[in-house]
Amino acid sequence: MANLKNFADLKSLSAQLKAESEKKAREKAIREEELRKAAAEANIFRTALSGVTPVRAAERHVPQALRPAPLPFQHIADEQAALMESLSDEFDAESLLETDESLSYARPGVGPDVVRKLRKGNWVIQAQLDLHGMRRDQARESLGEFLRRCCKNGTRCVRIIHGKGNGSVNKEPVLKHKVRNWLVQKEEVLAFSQATAADGGSGALIVLLQS
């Protein structure tokens, strides 16, 4: 009886193993069929698109945000400085000049002895500017630049040669009056007086600048 029971168990196990093997075979066959179908469908899709040219995507234009123009601070500062240093031709200095024969000038606060020394030629002339032959605009610019350079270099006493007007129309010393008007407008000018005969007489001015 034991042998028969063992044989029945063995036969049942064999049947079970066979059933599992057949199940695995069926599952494998199903997977292979699915793969074959997928490959066939992919091949059909590739064949259908073989003559199609891909559409190029249009390049996107991203507009840049407009930035405000930079403010030219240095240029504005230079323009303001030039305006402050500009010399007016409309300025009349006659009322500020002393009514002596040399029409000397002293800024308020400058002692009379300073002007007397200028008249006598006691100050040593350290630099000079000759405006002979210059037109009015050129003379004005040259005078402004000359004074700036002298102040930068620490020059105290200078001579400005404006001429006597002998070569001008009607023999009028146009630059002589203009130079006096321009000098009165410059803060760095402390005083000025007509030069002595040895230094140019009525054709030049001796100018004292701030230290």
Side-chain angles (χ1 to χ4, degrees):
M1 292 294 296
N3 289 336
L4 290 175
K5 183 178 179 181
N6 292 338
F7 180 76
D9 292 339
L10 181 60
K11 186 176 181 179
S12 175
L13 178 60
S14 177
Q16 183 180 354
L17 292 175
K18 182 179 179 181
E20 291 179 356
S21 178
E22 290 175 352
K23 181 181 179 182
K24 289 181 179 180
R26 286 194 303 269
E27 291 175 350
K28 180 180 180 181
I30 292 172
R31 287 196 301 270
E32 291 177 351
E33 180 64 17
E34 290 176 349
L35 291 175
R36 185 188 66 79
K37 288 181 179 180
E41 291 176 357
N43 187 48
I44 293 173
F45 182 76
R46 284 194 296 270
T47 302
L49 297 179
S50 60
V52 177
T53 302
V55 178
R56 290 187 60 186
E59 295 183 358
R60 293 185 60 191
H61 174 68
V62 180
Q64 293 184 350
L66 296 177
R67 297 182 178 179
L71 293 176
F73 291 109
Q74 187 59 49
H75 177 72
I76 295 174
D78 292 341
E79 289 293 331
Q80 291 176 342
L83 182 62
M84 293 296 294
E85 294 181 358
S86 63
L87 299 172
S88 173
D89 287 333
E90 305 302 323
F91 188 85
D92 186 6
E94 293 299 322
S95 61
L96 302 176
L97 303 179
E98 293 187 13
T99 55
D100 55 24
E101 60 180 8
S102 64
L103 290 179
S104 55
Y105 163 80
R107 187 169 296 281
V110 177
D113 59 320
V114 173
V115 178
R116 285 196 297 269
K117 289 181 180 179
L118 283 176
R119 293 190 193 124
K120 294 179 181 180
N122 289 354
W123 293 87
V124 176
I125 298 174
Q126 299 172 291
Q128 74 173 21
L129 173 66
D130 191 348
L131 301 176
H132 267 119
M134 293 187 184
R135 299 182 66 85
R136 182 181 60 186
D137 292 344
Q138 182 183 6
R140 182 175 59 243
E141 293 177 5
S142 298
L143 178 62
E145 175 59 30
F146 175 73
L147 294 178
R148 284 193 294 271
R149 186 169 63 251
C150 288
C151 289
K152 182 179 179 180
N153 296 334
T155 304
R156 292 297 311 279
C157 186
V158 299
R159 175 169 53 188
I160 307 296
I161 303 174
H162 48 64
K164 300 178 181 180
N166 294 331
S168 62
V169 179
N170 298 327
K171 304 296 182 179
E172 293 183 0
V174 177
L175 280 184
K176 178 178 181 178
H177 300 299
K178 291 295 182 183
V179 168
R180 293 173 188 269
N181 290 346
W182 294 336
L183 289 174
V184 170
Q185 297 176 61
K186 302 296 288 184
E187 292 185 359
E188 56 265 41
V189 174
L190 295 180
F192 62 77
S193 180
Q194 179 176 296
T196 62
D199 290 327
S202 61
L205 290 174
I206 304 302
V207 184
L208 182 65
L209 303 176
Q210 290 181 348
S211 58

